[in-house]
Amino acid sequence: YSEGAAVMLFYQFGELLQELAVRRSRKSIKELLDIRPDHANLKRETEILVVAPESVSLGDLILIKPGERVPLDGIVVEGNSLLDTSAISGESLPREVESGSEIFSGSINQKGVLTIEVTKTYRESTVAKILELVEHAEQNKAPTESFITKFARYYTPAVVLVAALLALVPPLLIEGATFSEWIYRALLFLVASCPCALLISIPLGFFGGIGGAGRQGILLKGGNYLEALQRVDTVIFDKTGTLTKGEFKVAEIRPVDGGGAENGTEKRESLLRYAAIAELFSTHPIAVSIKKAYEEQSGKTIHPSLIESYEELAGFGTRVRSEGKEILLGNAKLLLREGVTIPVDTAEEGTRIHLLVDGNYQGVLLIEDEAKEDAIEAVAHLRTAGVRRVVMLTGDKKIVGETLGNELGMDQVFSELLPQQKVEILEDLRRNKTTRGSIVFVGDGINDAPAMLAADVGVAMGALGSDAAIEAADVVLMTDEPIKLALAIEIAKRTKRIVWQNIFFAFFVKFLVLALGAFGFATMWEAVFADVGVALLAVANAMRAMNVKSK
């Protein structure tokens, strides 16, 4: 009776530990969703109601304030603004929207107040899809987990048959053998052979790894992707919004006829000052970067009293009168409109802002998207984690892509690509692999979704990523930090080690006790240990997968 009671007691304790671990893991994953947009400003006649996105219907009008993320897809019916759409299109530059423009959830409103008519319900939104994926994440079993489940399907009836033979055959064939002794040995055999330790601890190990990753802002949609991450050969990064911030900085100032070093320095300072004056009243991200560069280099700010007149030229730039001079600042289309020939050859470079003073061309400012703070560290950590190749794909010009690629230490850079070309390059890299490792693609926009689906593991930037990218991805980095990918790989490898520790330990103890029990050298207490004792130890070991240190 004491042995029977011990089996039930320890089994229930193991079930309790499992439930606590699973609950903790689920909570860790669901907490990720708190950083997604969870409200909409619904217009109702003369008032604005802050409501949950799921309560908004098709055709309703919602208000998007500056700085807010668009919660639902829709069409602008009132207002104009700049939208950060890098998460959707992969384009660094903000998109100008006005009445009639279609906008997508996940975009960031940067400037004016917008009223949009909703064209998609909450059920089709990113948040609803991620919730559903979280609830069903454990259904995507890892190969190891699936193998153990299939193994148990044949293992269990096999040991029951062996136990029945052990109880009946020896008393019938061996002189002096009693049924009571051999039935006891058969029961011992059944208890010791129970596969609970494997069937509970292995799925719990993978689910613990998923939960531990969740606590670090990494959403894994199943144990199979966790297992795929522990054998990565190649990581392919999109550029804009993935390795870069989608924010701008003045990379270079090129005045015409720079002359000597001192004269060139003075001309650069003058060029930057005139540009800052021209952008004083603009809130465009490029204008902000120019004003910031001037303030950092000179330690001064432009006083509004310097501006005699200001005109914003939509789609071209700005026209300003200051200190008795006419200043024109804008893109190449502005110069074409003014009939000015650009004497500086910058045709192969990135975003360029040109300056005219009293009709005379003064020079150009080169504007670049800034790399994320952890991008260089992320590439270094990936190599430490065993990744053989790190590649960058971008739709930007070749010189822009190669400059960033060299800065980050990429093995290869492919530039000026269309979305379908990214898939072609991915498949070519797959064909040229020299190992059996997996290929990971990391992106953030709709244009990255096809490549994510083609990769062995698709990874999306989740904080600002598009609905399509997050839906297509197998892993979502909710904090938008590239270095989290290296952490995800480390979590995957650690989880796999824990799972295999449980497998070897469980099989070793079980087969040892089974052999000793069959020959009468073990009692039911050893069998109880081989069953629930091993299960408890394996569950406790599996729970370690949830303890993850952040980078």
Side-chain angles (χ1 to χ4, degrees):
Y1 291 109
S2 59
E3 292 166 347
V7 171
M8 291 187 289
L9 178 63
F10 288 134
Y11 183 79
Q12 287 299 316
F13 185 60
E15 288 281 295
L16 175 64
L17 279 181
Q18 180 191 2
E19 178 60 29
L20 288 173
V22 171
R23 195 180 303 161
R24 182 179 167 195
S25 183
R26 284 178 184 270
K27 183 174 181 289
S28 298
I29 298 169
K30 287 185 178 180
E31 282 174 353
L32 295 178
L33 304 177
D34 293 339
I35 65 174
R36 304 290 302 173
D38 59 356
H39 73 276
N41 303 313
L42 181 63
K43 293 187 77 170
R44 282 280 186 262
E45 296 178 356
T46 58
E47 60 179 345
I48 304 294
L49 304 175
V50 178
V51 299
E54 55 262 52
S55 65
V56 179
S57 305
L58 289 176
D60 281 349
L61 298 180
I62 60 174
L63 194 72
I64 314 295
K65 301 174 184 176
E68 287 188 337
R69 188 176 302 148
V70 179
L72 299 160
D73 291 3
I75 295 174
V76 178
V77 295
E78 186 179 333
N80 58 75
S81 182
L82 292 173
L83 285 187
D84 176 3
T85 62
S86 58
I88 298 169
S89 63
E91 174 59 47
S92 305
L93 290 172
R95 180 166 73 97
E96 294 184 13
V97 294
E98 56 189 12
S99 182
S101 300
E102 185 179 8
I103 64 175
F104 302 97
S105 58
S107 303
I108 305 294
N109 185 18
Q110 293 187 324
K111 191 176 178 182
V113 177
L114 295 174
T115 300
I116 73 167
E117 180 182 343
V118 174
T119 57
K120 282 188 181 178
T121 62
Y122 173 78
R123 290 180 62 185
E124 298 171 318
S125 71
T126 304
V127 176
K129 288 172 184 174
I130 291 183
L131 275 169
E132 184 180 351
L133 288 165
V134 168
E135 289 301 318
H136 296 92
E138 65 269 32
Q139 292 182 3
N140 295 319
K141 293 185 177 181
T144 303
E145 188 179 350
S146 299
F147 168 75
I148 291 299
T149 305
K150 291 175 184 176
F151 172 80
R153 190 180 304 160
Y154 300 102
Y155 170 82
T156 302
V159 295
V160 170
L161 178 61
V162 172
L165 294 173
L166 197 62
L168 299 174
V169 174
L172 296 174
L173 299 180
I174 301 174
E175 187 176 349
T178 62
F179 277 101
S180 60
E181 179 188 357
W182 285 95
I183 288 174
Y184 180 83
R185 290 189 188 184
L187 291 174
L188 182 152
F189 190 91
L190 277 177
V191 171
S193 64
C194 180
C196 294
L198 299 172
L199 294 180
I200 293 175
S201 67
I202 292 172
L204 185 60
F206 281 106
F207 205 68
I210 291 171
R215 293 170 65 188
Q216 299 300 323
I218 304 164
L219 174 61
L220 290 141
K221 298 181 182 178
N224 51 339
Y225 307 119
L226 190 68
E227 188 153 3
L229 280 175
Q230 59 88 29
R231 48 180 177 81
V232 177
D233 173 87
T234 304
V235 173
I236 304 170
F237 283 101
D238 171 54
K239 182 181 81 72
T240 305
T242 303
L243 292 170
T244 63
K245 297 177 181 178
E247 299 174 2
F248 300 96
K249 67 174 182 178
V250 177
E252 196 173 343
I253 305 167
R254 292 186 183 175
V256 291
D257 300 323
E262 184 179 349
N263 188 34
T265 300
E266 291 175 359
K267 287 201 170 187
R268 280 192 292 273
E269 290 173 355
S270 175
L271 177 58
L272 184 59
R273 179 175 179 271
Y274 278 126
I277 290 172
E279 298 284 30
L280 182 62
F281 297 134
S282 176
T283 58
H284 193 285
I286 288 179
V288 172
S289 71
I290 291 172
K291 289 182 285 187
K292 182 181 177 182
Y294 174 72
E295 290 170 9
E296 288 176 350
Q297 289 191 22
S298 68
K300 302 174 184 177
T301 57
I302 303 297
H303 197 276
S305 62
L306 288 175
I307 308 298
E308 298 165 16
S309 66
Y310 176 88
E311 181 185 2
E312 193 156 327
L313 309 171
F316 295 96
T318 56
R319 186 196 305 272
V320 173
R321 189 153 193 89
S322 175
E323 301 173 334
K325 297 178 180 179
E326 184 185 66
I327 303 168
L328 276 171
L329 186 77
N331 53 28
K333 290 190 295 182
L334 174 67
L335 300 186
L336 190 65
R337 193 182 77 165
E338 297 294 318
V340 176
T341 303
I342 306 173
V344 181
D345 181 17
T346 57
E348 294 300 317
E349 302 186 54
T351 304
R352 305 173 303 285
I353 305 299
H354 303 276
L355 178 73
L356 293 172
V357 178
D358 287 337
N360 297 314
Y361 186 80
Q362 301 296 311
V364 62
L365 301 174
L366 300 182
I367 310 296
E368 289 182 358
D369 193 0
E370 196 171 357
K372 291 181 178 178
E373 287 86 352
D374 64 333
I376 295 176
E377 191 180 358
V379 175
H381 275 80
L382 286 172
R383 299 196 191 284
T384 304
V387 176
R388 192 175 62 87
R389 287 185 301 185
V390 185
V391 180
M392 186 178 79
L393 309 183
T394 177
D396 268 343
K397 293 185 180 296
K398 185 176 181 180
I399 191 166
V400 175
E402 288 184 349
T403 301
L404 180 65
N406 292 333
E407 179 187 342
L408 301 182
M410 293 286 166
D411 294 311
Q412 289 176 279
V413 176
F414 297 90
S415 307
E416 301 180 19
L417 300 175
L418 297 172
Q420 63 269 26
Q421 292 175 309
K422 292 182 179 181
V423 177
E424 291 169 6
I425 289 171
L426 188 150
E427 293 298 343
D428 188 52
L429 290 170
R430 193 197 305 277
R431 284 191 294 270
N432 294 325
K433 267 196 315 176
T434 57
T435 72
R436 297 180 64 186
S438 54
I439 290 184
V440 175
F441 184 91
V442 191
D444 71 317
I446 284 176
N447 59 332
D448 299 322
M452 285 183 192
L453 290 168
D456 298 314
V457 181
V459 180
M461 294 292 174
L464 296 177
S466 73
D467 293 0
I470 291 172
E471 184 179 359
D474 309 309
V475 180
V476 182
L477 307 181
M478 301 300 286
T479 58
D480 277 356
E481 299 171 274
I483 198 169
K484 292 293 186 183
L485 177 59
L487 179 59
I489 292 173
E490 289 179 14
I491 291 170
K493 291 186 174 183
R494 184 168 178 266
T495 301
K496 191 67 179 290
R497 284 197 302 270
I498 289 172
V499 166
W500 279 104
Q501 285 168 9
N502 285 342
I503 291 173
F504 285 126
F505 176 66
F507 275 124
F508 174 76
V509 173
K510 284 183 181 296
F511 285 129
L512 179 63
V513 173
L514 286 174
L516 293 173
F519 292 102
F521 296 111
T523 67
M524 185 62 75
W525 283 109
E526 282 79 22
V528 169
F529 173 75
D531 176 21
V532 291
V534 169
L536 285 175
L537 291 174
V539 166
N541 190 42
M543 291 175 71
R544 292 194 304 118
M546 279 186 284
N547 300 322
V548 178
K549 292 182 181 179
S550 61
K551 284 194 173 292

